[in-house]
């Protein structure tokens, strides 16, 4: 009822299509990694991959993936 939910979305910038997304009530990186893995599995490896680290900037693991 109270608190925050965090959204991680993998978006194709050209088409603006959401390729995968996840919600979490914690700021762990795991739910973001799951969304990235799903997008790659469903749509293939992109030629260019950019991560917007948002205000936290602590998701170094996803940019190293």
């Amino acid at each position: 009822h109270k608190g925050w939910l965090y959204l991680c979305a993998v978006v194709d910038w050209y088409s603006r299509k959401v390729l995968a997304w996840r919600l979490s009530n914690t700021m762990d990186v795991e739910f973001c990694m799951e969304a990235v893995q799903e997008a790659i599995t469903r749509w293939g490896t992109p030629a260019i991959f950019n991560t917007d680290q948002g205000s936290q900037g602590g998701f170094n693991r996803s940019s190293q993936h």
Side-chain angles (χ1 to χ4, degrees), residues 10-11 32 36 39-40 45-52 62-65:
V10 180
V11 179
C32 289
V36 169
I40 290 172
T45 303
I48 299 172
F49 188 83
N50 179 41
T51 59
D52 176 5
S62 63
S63 63
Q64 294 171 0
H65 179 71

Side-chain angles (χ1 to χ4, degrees), residues 24-38:
S24 177
N25 62 350
T26 66
M27 286 188 60
D28 294 335
V29 72
E30 296 304 320
F31 78 104
C32 289
M33 293 304 302
E34 290 174 7
V36 169
Q37 263 321 117
E38 179 186 339

